[in-house]
């Protein structure tokens, strides 16, 4: 049995969670999970409510069906300094244009950037960012739909967290007020939140 305070290093393949409290009791630091280069932490049709996740360079967090992370403890969803990480919905990287949105990843816990970082969003579904981020990052939506549920979802200082929406990707928001991040449309689309 792995207890609170333990560390799991994902060094190969996919770590798929099958229980909402697999990483610890709700709103606790619980078990530390380091998602390393070329590996995936998959939240498969559940919302994990405990644990501390760190995405290291090349690491991916992915939601399938209705996956999510909602730990009320601050600083429990982290991106390593200098890392380029992936936040994905669904197992494929099909374009959202003309496709369905069967898969989703909802991150209610705000991202904590431990330094400058790069985030790539992909998948055949929706990624919802509902929490306020700490620190800043550069964002690319390569496939799928990224929906912002907080004015600071992409970074604590919106002007320092630019986003590029590439062909096959879409950006929407369900917030009151404007998105203040610099946005570059590189064949992608701005869409209504739904």
């Amino acid at each position: 049995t792995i207890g609170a305070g333990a560390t799991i290093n994902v060094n190969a393949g996919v770590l798929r969670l099958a229980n909402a409290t697999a990483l610890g009791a709700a709103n606790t630091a619980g078990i530390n999970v380091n998602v390393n280069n070329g590996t995936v932490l998959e939240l498969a049709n559940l919302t994990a409510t405990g644990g501390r996740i760190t995405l290291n360079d090349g690491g991916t967090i992915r939601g399938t069906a209705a996956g999510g992370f909602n730990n009320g403890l601050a600083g429990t969803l982290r991106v390593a300094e200098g890392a380029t990480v992936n936040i994905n919905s669904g197992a494929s990287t099909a374009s959202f244009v003309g496709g369905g949105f069967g898969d989703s990843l909802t991150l209610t816990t705000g991202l904590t950037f431990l330094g400058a970082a790069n985030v790539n969003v992909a998948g055949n579904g929706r990624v919802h960012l509902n929490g306020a981020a700490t620190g800043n990052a550069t964002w690319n939506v390569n496939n799928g739909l990224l929906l912002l549920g907080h004015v600071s979802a992409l970074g604590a200082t919106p002007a320092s967290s630019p986003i590029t929406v590439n062909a096959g990707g879409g950006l929407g928001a369900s917030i009151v007020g404007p998105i203040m991040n610099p946005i570059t449309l590189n064949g992608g689309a701005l869409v209504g939140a739904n």
Side-chain angles (χ1 to χ4, degrees):
T1 303
I2 299 174
T7 297
I8 297 172
N9 290 304
V10 185
N11 293 319
V14 177
L15 174 61
R16 183 174 294 118
L17 300 186
N19 185 299
T21 57
L23 300 180
N27 303 317
T28 68
I31 297 169
N32 299 297
V33 177
N34 294 312
V35 185
N36 297 316
N37 188 31
T39 67
V40 177
L41 173 64
E42 183 173 295
L43 304 167
N45 203 31
L46 62 82
T47 297
T49 57
R52 177 177 285 131
I53 299 166
T54 302
L55 298 173
N56 291 313
D57 190 45
T60 299
I61 186 169
R62 176 173 71 204
T64 56
F69 186 69
N70 184 12
N71 187 335
L73 186 62
T76 53
L77 183 55
R78 306 182 309 173
V79 176
E81 181 176 3
T84 296
V85 302
N86 307 295
I87 299 178
N88 295 352
S89 60
S92 79
T93 56
S95 165
F96 86 94
V97 178
F101 292 107
D103 293 301
S104 68
L105 174 63
T106 301
L107 301 177
T108 305
T109 302
L111 290 158
T112 298
F113 296 105
L114 302 176
N118 298 293
V119 181
N120 295 312
V121 176
N124 59 353
R126 294 180 171 100
V127 172
H128 301 263
L129 297 180
N130 294 334
T134 302
N136 297 292
T138 299
W139 291 77
N140 290 289
V141 181
N142 297 319
N143 301 100
L145 181 58
L146 176 62
L147 295 171
L148 307 180
H150 195 284
V151 294
S152 302
L154 300 176
T157 308
S160 298
S161 294
I163 184 166
T164 299
V165 186
N166 294 307
L171 175 65
S174 59
I175 56 177
V176 176
I179 298 173
M180 300 302 293
N181 304 76
I183 299 171
T184 301
L185 294 179
N186 186 28
L190 295 178
V191 299
N194 52 19

